[in-house]
Amino acid sequence: MLKKILFLFAIFCFLCCSEKNLPENCLRASYFSVTKTLTNPEFNQVLTVNGTAEIAGGFKGILLINAGLNRFVAYDRICPNNDCNSPMNYDKINSPNILKCLCDESEYGLGVGIGGAPQTPGFECPAIEYKVVKFGNSIRISNF
């Protein structure tokens, strides 16, 4: 009985792992973890709801967004199809919920629960989203 329960649990974990469900041509996040103090002046803008900050790391830099209620989301700025030498563009004024790859014009949704989903027909790879944990005046951004 215990073996059956462990087997079912293992199957459940395997199926729930989102990175395992990505198409083969999609980029996977490399090992990444960084801790930042939000009281640092470079994070002044991210302290308000919908505020952002750019952080070095990941493949082409990370966009950190304050989602409100002490929640933050972070996305790698590399184009998911890896077809662009420049990082994805974030236009807070005209497209506040979109990251855009300038080489192929593909767009990716941002925010809690959206997970970088492609917004352009024909694209299936999502933007790389990192886990963000807030503790006190600090945050940890990682892919584990």
Side-chain angles (χ1 to χ4, degrees):
M1 179 69 169
L2 182 61
K3 287 183 182 181
K4 287 181 183 179
I5 292 172
L6 289 174
F7 176 74
L8 291 174
F9 180 74
I11 295 293
F12 175 77
C13 289
F14 178 76
L15 293 176
C16 289
C17 184
S18 62
E19 188 144 309
K20 299 279 188 207
N21 296 328
L22 287 176
E24 283 188 34
N25 61 325
C26 295
L27 288 173
R28 282 9 184 224
S30 61
Y31 174 80
F32 176 77
S33 179
V34 65
T35 301
K36 297 287 186 175
T37 304
L38 293 173
T39 56
N40 189 322
E42 70 180 306
F43 294 108
N44 283 345
Q45 290 185 354
V46 82
L47 296 177
T48 60
V49 175
N50 294 323
T52 62
E54 293 181 15
I55 298 170
F59 289 105
K60 296 225 184 232
I62 294 177
L63 177 67
L64 177 67
I65 303 168
N66 182 332
L69 301 173
N70 278 324
R71 294 178 301 166
F72 293 85
V73 291
Y75 294 93
D76 202 299
R77 293 183 61 207
I78 190 170
C79 289
N81 296 308
N82 198 17
D83 59 354
C84 196
N85 289 328
S86 59
M88 285 195 283
N89 185 47
Y90 178 69
D91 184 348
K92 184 177 180 176
I93 305 298
N94 298 314
S95 302
N97 297 316
I98 298 291
L99 266 175
K100 185 173 186 175
C101 183
L102 301 176
C103 296
D104 60 19
E105 299 294 313
S106 58
E107 295 182 343
Y108 303 87
L110 303 178
V112 176
I114 297 173
Q119 305 297 301
T120 308
F123 289 85
E124 57 185 10
C125 299
I128 296 172
E129 182 177 4
Y130 294 104
K131 179 180 178 180
V132 182
V133 177
K134 183 176 186 289
F135 51 98
N137 288 328
S138 297
I139 56 168
R140 187 180 89 204
I141 303 168
S142 68
N143 67 333
F144 54 90

